[in-house]
Amino acid sequence: MIIVVMGVAGCGKTTIGKKLAAALGWGFSDADEFHSAASIEKMKSGVALTDADREPWLRAIKAAIDENKRKGTGHVFACSALKARYREVLGAGDPQVRFVYLRGDASLILQRLNQRVGHFFDPALLSSQFEALEEPHDALTVDIAQTPDAIVSRIIAAPTEGK
């Protein structure tokens, strides 16, 4: 089983993904690790990525998903997956791939982004993330105003919800 924890920057994908993977005894990968150096530089500079920028990134994540499926290992990926088309590339509709959408209020997320240290994402890009976001209708949706532990418990308690 593959779980993709998705949402806009600053919603807690990495925090929740790592906690979820640890609770399940699974591996964890952050989609940020799959970005090219050029894409990281664009985001550091406050330039939103285009779909063309995202294509090789999505293909690399999909390859990692497929490798974990082939091995039969449970794995959690933290990935924005903002558009339905991106989720289709990653495995929407595949019974072995489950999406968890971390939904949050823009002001709470901006507050979190402004407190974040050492990350390349420019908080000025948050509005572009919300503009690109196509909320999923086939994912487990969890409110990020809860504690990380409560969010992870909610995800674990609803193993088939959202499919």
Side-chain angles (χ1 to χ4, degrees):
M1 171 67 79
I2 304 296
I3 297 177
V4 178
V5 179
M6 60 156 293
V8 299
C11 71
K13 296 180 298 290
T14 300
T15 299
I16 299 306
K18 285 179 177 177
K19 283 183 162 288
L20 179 61
L24 296 171
W26 291 3
F28 172 78
S29 295
D30 190 317
D32 286 346
E33 300 164 11
F34 296 84
H35 277 299
S36 69
S39 289
I40 290 171
E41 284 306 312
K42 281 181 96 168
M43 289 183 280
K44 278 183 181 178
S45 300
V47 178
L49 299 181
T50 65
D51 282 350
D53 294 324
R54 289 187 181 98
E55 276 305 317
W57 173 71
L58 288 167
R59 283 194 310 270
I61 297 164
K62 174 61 172 159
I65 288 171
D66 288 345
E67 179 65 14
N68 280 281
K69 284 173 40 181
R70 188 188 64 71
K71 290 179 181 174
T73 55
H75 203 88
V76 177
F77 288 84
C79 178
S80 55
L82 298 176
K83 294 184 179 182
R85 186 177 73 72
Y86 303 165
R87 294 187 294 275
E88 288 170 12
V89 169
L90 297 175
D94 181 336
Q96 294 181 60
V97 179
R98 178 174 171 230
F99 288 84
V100 175
Y101 169 43
L102 301 181
R103 179 191 285 161
D105 169 88
S107 62
L108 173 60
I109 294 171
L110 184 59
Q111 176 186 351
R112 289 180 179 182
L113 284 172
N114 285 327
Q115 294 171 347
R116 194 156 68 172
V117 177
H119 194 279
F120 59 81
F121 187 84
D122 183 336
L125 293 174
L126 182 60
S127 62
S128 71
Q129 293 258 300
F130 274 104
E131 289 168 12
L133 176 64
E134 296 170 1
E135 289 195 345
H137 302 291
D138 57 350
L140 171 65
T141 300
V142 183
D143 182 353
I144 66 163
Q146 306 171 69
T147 67
D149 288 338
I151 293 170
V152 169
S153 293
R154 168 82 171 96
I155 295 167
I156 291 171
T160 59
E161 192 173 323
K163 286 305 287 177

